[in-house]
Each structure stands twice: as C-alpha cells, then as structure tokens.
C-alpha cells in the first residue's frame, strides 16, 4: 500500500529543486573562478605598471564581488 503524506514533494518537484541547486553551485564556482582570474590579471598589471589595465580589472572585480 502506497502512503501519501501531506506536504511531501513530488518527484518532479525534487528534480526541479536539484536542478536549481546544481545551477546555484555552478554559478558560484564560475564566479569564484573569474574572481581568481581577475586577481591574477591585476597582479600582472601591477608588475607591468599598466595603470589603465589595473583600473579596468579592479572595476570589474568590484562589480562581481
């Protein structure tokens, strides 16, 4: 006999929640990766004394942080 519990999510609802969670995790990982790339590029711009590049990169980092 199959039990039906009130407020129990359906399989479809669980799949949607899993998909949304996976998307959130992926977005976080991509954002962290981009921040790390920007930090490395900022360091390189400092080493090369490239003020314009430094300012552009720091602005981008501010926007995504």
């Amino acid at each position: 006999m199959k039990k039906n519990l009130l407020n129990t999510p359906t399989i479809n609802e669980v799949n949607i929640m899993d998909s949304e969670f996976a998307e959130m995790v992926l977005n976080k990982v991509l954002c962290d990766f981009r921040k790390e790339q920007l930090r490395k590029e900022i360091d390189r711009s400092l080493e090369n004394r490239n003020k314009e590049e430094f300012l552009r990169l720091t602005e981008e980092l501010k926007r995504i942080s």
Side-chain angles (χ1 to χ4, degrees):
M1 177 180 240
K2 186 177 178 182
K3 291 184 181 180
N4 288 326
L5 302 175
L6 293 177
N7 298 324
T8 302
T10 65
I11 298 293
N12 214 18
E13 290 170 329
V14 170
N15 287 340
I16 291 170
M17 291 186 324
D18 287 347
S19 295
E20 289 174 351
F21 180 72
E23 186 177 350
M24 288 170 51
V25 170
L26 182 58
N27 285 337
K28 172 78 169 116
V29 169
L30 290 172
C31 185
D32 289 349
F33 178 76
R34 181 62 184 144
K35 285 179 186 178
E36 185 59 31
Q37 277 185 321
L38 284 169
R39 287 185 186 106
K40 288 178 183 179
E41 290 179 39
I42 288 169
D43 288 345
R44 203 167 314 132
S45 70
L46 286 170
E47 289 171 4
N48 296 331
R49 298 178 185 226
N50 186 337
K51 184 178 180 179
E52 289 176 12
E53 185 76 358
F54 171 80
L55 293 173
R56 183 184 67 76
L57 294 167
T58 53
E59 281 303 312
E60 184 177 345
L61 183 58
K62 285 181 200 176
R63 275 196 313 272
I64 65 172
S65 292

